């Protein structure tokens, strides 16, 4: 979680409920922290029909849905949105596979092959971000860069859950 800043249509804090678990895996804890910091450092985020901000976001997993509880930085609840993750299944699977491929070849192959894999990763990332932006558009207005950062966080959180006994996604 991050301290709230006085700016308007943006997230100033992100918190996770107990449904996301990174337990004692230092790599996943680091990836989760980086994803949250990246999202908080630069974002454009505003609940539809709500003027003001900044906003706090609490994320949870409930019944195969990402629950997004949005509140004002003073704590007043604004909206809760339950986002089905089923439409993201292919992108999440492809993104996980290509990230694994990238991590496996770094330092072992030519820069051209690494660049080609990274271009594929960025393409999947962009596609998922556009889908996320569209799926949230009736509840939250976000720009494409915020959608990319939020997708990264969702990916890390779901991978953390999967690697620690979560059975929400079977990516294989």
């Amino acid at each position: 979680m991050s301290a709230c800043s006085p700016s308007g249509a943006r997230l100033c804090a992100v918190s996770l409920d107990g449904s996301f678990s990174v337990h004692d895996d230092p790599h996943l804890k680091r990836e989760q922290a980086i994803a949250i910091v990246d999202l908080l450092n630069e974002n454009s985020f505003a609940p539809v029909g709500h003027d003001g901000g900044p906003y706090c976001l609490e994320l949870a997993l409930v019944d195969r849905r990402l629950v997004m509880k949005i509140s004002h930085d003073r704590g007043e609840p604004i909206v809760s949105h339950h986002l089905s993750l089923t439409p993201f299944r292919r992108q999440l699977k492809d993104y996980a596979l290509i990230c694994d491929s990238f991590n496996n070849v770094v330092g072992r192959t030519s820069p051209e092959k690494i660049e080609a894999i990274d271009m594929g990763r960025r393409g999947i990332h962009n596609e998922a971000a556009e889908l996320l932006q569209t799926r949230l558009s009736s509840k939250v207005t976000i720009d494409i860069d915020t959608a990319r950062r939020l997708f990264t966080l969702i990916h890390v959180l779901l991978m953390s859950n999967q690697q620690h006994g979560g059975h929400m996604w079977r990516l294989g």
Side-chain angles (χ1 to χ4, degrees):
M1 179 138 32
S2 172
C4 292
S5 68
S7 61
R10 61 175 280 105
L11 288 172
C12 66
V14 174
S15 62
L16 310 173
D17 86 336
S19 61
F20 297 110
S21 54
V22 293
H23 297 295
D24 57 357
D25 186 323
H27 175 72
L28 289 174
K29 282 182 182 180
R30 181 178 170 277
E31 292 297 318
Q32 177 181 299
I34 289 169
I36 290 172
V37 167
D38 285 350
L39 180 59
L40 290 175
N41 280 340
E42 194 172 331
N43 68 78
S44 174
F45 187 96
V48 171
H50 190 271
D51 292 331
Y55 305 100
C56 300
L57 175 65
E58 180 184 341
L59 299 174
L61 277 178
V62 177
D63 297 327
R64 295 182 178 247
R65 294 180 181 273
L66 181 71
V67 178
M68 303 174 70
K69 295 179 184 176
I70 303 165
S71 60
H72 200 276
D73 66 336
R74 294 180 303 270
E76 303 107 30
I78 296 171
V79 66
S80 287
H81 182 58
H82 293 242
L83 178 69
S84 173
L85 294 173
T86 301
F88 298 91
R89 187 174 179 104
R90 183 182 58 78
Q91 287 91 352
L92 286 163
K93 179 181 177 183
D94 291 350
Y95 193 72
L97 291 172
I98 204 155
C99 286
D100 283 345
S101 294
F102 182 82
N103 291 333
N104 288 334
V105 300
V106 169
R108 296 183 184 154
T109 192
S110 70
E112 293 82 16
K113 286 185 181 180
I114 292 171
E115 185 176 332
I117 292 170
D118 194 46
M119 285 177 61
R121 182 198 58 80
R122 284 191 305 254
I124 295 166
H125 203 185
N126 289 338
E127 180 184 332
E130 289 169 6
L131 178 60
L132 183 59
Q133 192 177 32
T134 300
R135 302 273 307 164
L136 289 175
S137 65
S138 68
K139 298 287 183 182
V140 181
T141 301
I142 57 176
D143 65 11
I144 194 65
D145 291 330
T146 300
R148 285 177 55 85
R149 291 179 188 100
L150 187 55
F151 176 77
T152 300
L153 178 57
I154 292 167
H155 165 74
V156 169
L157 294 173
L158 292 176
M159 293 307 295
S160 299
N161 239 35
Q162 179 189 18
Q163 291 184 13
H164 288 95
H167 53 276
M168 182 177 153
W169 292 100
R170 296 177 209 270
L171 297 177

